[in-house]
Coordinates of all heavy atoms in Angstrom, one line a residue:
T10 N 1.0 -2.2 9.6 CA 1.8 -1.1 10.0 C 3.1 -1.0 9.2 O 3.5 0.1 8.8 CB 2.2 -1.2 11.5 OG1 1.0 -1.2 12.3 CG2 3.1 0.0 12.0
I11 N 3.7 -2.2 8.9 CA 4.9 -2.2 8.1 C 4.6 -1.8 6.6 O 5.3 -1.0 6.1 CB 5.5 -3.6 8.1 CG1 6.1 -3.9 9.5 CG2 6.6 -3.8 7.0 CD1 6.5 -5.3 9.7
I12 N 3.5 -2.2 6.1 CA 3.1 -1.9 4.7 C 2.9 -0.4 4.6 O 3.4 0.3 3.7 CB 1.8 -2.6 4.3 CG1 2.1 -4.1 4.1 CG2 1.3 -2.0 3.0 CD1 0.9 -5.0 3.9
K13 N 2.1 0.2 5.5 CA 1.9 1.6 5.5 C 3.2 2.5 5.7 O 3.4 3.4 5.0 CB 0.9 2.0 6.6 CG -0.5 1.5 6.3 CD -1.5 2.1 7.4 CE -1.2 1.8 8.8 NZ -2.2 2.2 9.7
S14 N 4.1 2.0 6.6 CA 5.3 2.7 6.8 C 6.3 2.7 5.6 O 6.8 3.7 5.2 CB 6.0 2.2 8.0 OG 7.2 2.8 8.3
L15 N 6.5 1.5 5.0 CA 7.4 1.4 3.9 C 6.8 2.1 2.7 O 7.6 2.7 1.9 CB 7.7 -0.1 3.6 CG 8.5 -0.8 4.7 CD1 8.7 -2.3 4.3 CD2 9.9 -0.1 4.8
T16 N 5.5 2.0 2.5 CA 5.0 2.7 1.3 C 5.1 4.2 1.4 O 5.5 4.9 0.5 CB 3.4 2.3 1.2 OG1 3.3 0.9 1.1 CG2 2.8 3.0 0.0
S17 N 4.9 4.7 2.7 CA 5.1 6.1 2.9 C 6.6 6.5 2.7 O 6.9 7.6 2.0 CB 4.7 6.5 4.3 OG 4.9 7.8 4.6
Q18 N 7.5 5.8 3.2 CA 8.9 6.1 3.1 C 9.4 6.1 1.6 O 10.3 6.9 1.2 CB 9.8 5.1 3.8 CG 9.7 5.2 5.3 CD 10.5 4.1 6.0 OE1 11.5 3.6 5.6 NE2 9.9 3.7 7.2
L19 N 8.8 5.3 0.8 CA 9.1 5.2 -0.7 C 8.3 6.1 -1.6 O 8.3 6.0 -2.8 CB 9.1 3.7 -1.1 CG 10.1 2.8 -0.4 CD1 9.7 1.3 -0.9 CD2 11.5 3.2 -0.8
D20 N 7.6 7.0 -0.9 CA 6.6 7.9 -1.6 C 5.6 7.2 -2.5 O 5.3 7.6 -3.6 CB 7.5 8.9 -2.5 CG 8.3 9.9 -1.6 OD1 7.8 10.2 -0.5 OD2 9.4 10.3 -2.1
G21 N 5.2 6.1 -2.1 CA 4.3 5.3 -2.8 C 2.8 5.5 -2.3 O 2.6 6.3 -1.4
F37 N 4.6 2.7 -6.8 CA 5.7 3.5 -6.4 C 6.3 4.2 -7.6 O 6.3 3.7 -8.7 CB 6.9 2.5 -5.9 CG 6.4 1.8 -4.7 CD1 6.0 0.5 -4.8 CD2 6.5 2.3 -3.4 CE1 5.7 -0.2 -3.7 CE2 6.1 1.7 -2.3 CZ 5.7 0.3 -2.4

Side-chain angles (χ1 to χ4, degrees):
T10 301
I11 291 170
I12 290 170
K13 291 190 298 185
S14 177
L15 291 176
T16 301
S17 176
Q18 289 177 30
L19 296 171
D20 294 325
F37 299 99

